[in-house]
Amino acid sequence: MGRPMFVMGEMSSGKTASLRNFKRKELFVINGQKKDWSFQNTNDLKEPPLVRTMRELMQLLIAAADADKELIVIDDFQYIQLNDLESKDRSDKKKMFQYYDEIAFDTWDLMKLCQNLKLKRERDGHEDSLRIYFLTHSYVNEESRITRVKTLGR
């Protein structure tokens, strides 16, 4: 699998809870929001790391891939994007569109990083497939009934 995969669902629909079906060594979880884990932790760490910014997420993804993790899950990805916006000076409304552009470009860079990590592992002779899943909330357009990733503003 050479591309990141998104698992979308409404709040409290069981996206995070489904992780309990994996064995401890099968996955590495990264949190976008502090939450109480109601099941046994899946990381080698005591608690999944909490990531506040896209830069932190990219650094942790590289480290996890270099540590030969086969399945990486970013839980509550939409909150990482929100945290990046929260760190900006929002008093200047003209800059808000620039901030949204920055978040979009950072997200695009993150998707490219996921693909490059997979290619790097293949070049390094790893036979296993690096899989990166983003768990995120969904938004359903009431008129068209199209479901998409919930982003800032909706």
Side-chain angles (χ1 to χ4, degrees):
M1 182 177 305
R3 67 183 90 141
M5 301 298 293
F6 282 80
V7 177
M8 302 183 300
E10 294 180 10
M11 186 180 289
S12 300
S13 62
K15 297 176 300 295
T16 302
S18 69
L19 298 178
R20 69 173 157 238
N21 297 314
F22 290 94
K23 294 184 179 98
R24 180 180 178 98
K25 297 293 182 186
E26 284 181 329
L27 76 155
F28 185 82
V29 178
I30 300 169
N31 267 340
Q33 177 185 7
K34 183 88 172 139
K35 66 169 66 173
D36 183 32
W37 287 73
S38 59
F39 52 91
Q40 182 183 5
N41 186 352
T42 55
N43 287 349
D44 296 330
L45 306 171
K46 191 170 192 178
E47 185 174 309
L50 177 65
V51 172
R52 303 296 299 166
T53 67
M54 295 288 269
R55 297 270 177 244
E56 287 178 23
L57 175 57
M58 289 181 196
Q59 291 170 348
L60 193 53
L61 275 174
I62 292 168
D66 286 345
D68 292 335
K69 297 296 181 182
E70 294 180 31
L71 176 58
I72 302 170
V73 177
I74 297 100
D75 192 17
D76 284 326
F77 173 66
Q78 73 280 355
Y79 289 109
I80 299 170
Q81 292 177 308
L82 179 63
N83 291 335
D84 272 352
L85 182 64
E86 290 288 324
S87 68
K88 307 289 185 189
D89 174 18
R90 292 178 287 152
S91 63
D92 185 351
K93 299 298 180 192
K94 291 181 181 179
K95 287 188 175 180
M96 287 304 291
F97 286 107
Q98 177 186 342
Y99 297 152
Y100 283 111
D101 284 346
E102 288 175 16
I103 292 169
F105 288 128
D106 284 347
T107 302
W108 180 252
D109 289 343
L110 176 64
M111 298 304 118
K112 289 192 303 188
L113 173 67
C114 292
Q115 292 173 336
N116 290 336
L117 289 173
K118 166 81 167 97
L119 293 172
K120 179 184 181 297
R121 285 173 63 120
E122 288 173 355
R123 281 192 309 267
D124 290 346
H126 291 277
E127 294 181 17
D128 60 340
S129 178
L130 175 63
R131 296 170 290 156
I132 302 174
Y133 289 92
F134 292 81
L135 277 54
T136 187
H137 295 163
S138 61
Y139 167 76
V140 179
N141 182 301
E142 295 299 326
E143 292 178 20
S144 66
R145 302 299 304 156
I146 294 174
T147 302
R148 63 173 179 81
V149 171
K150 186 172 185 174
T151 56
L152 303 175
R154 276 278 187 185

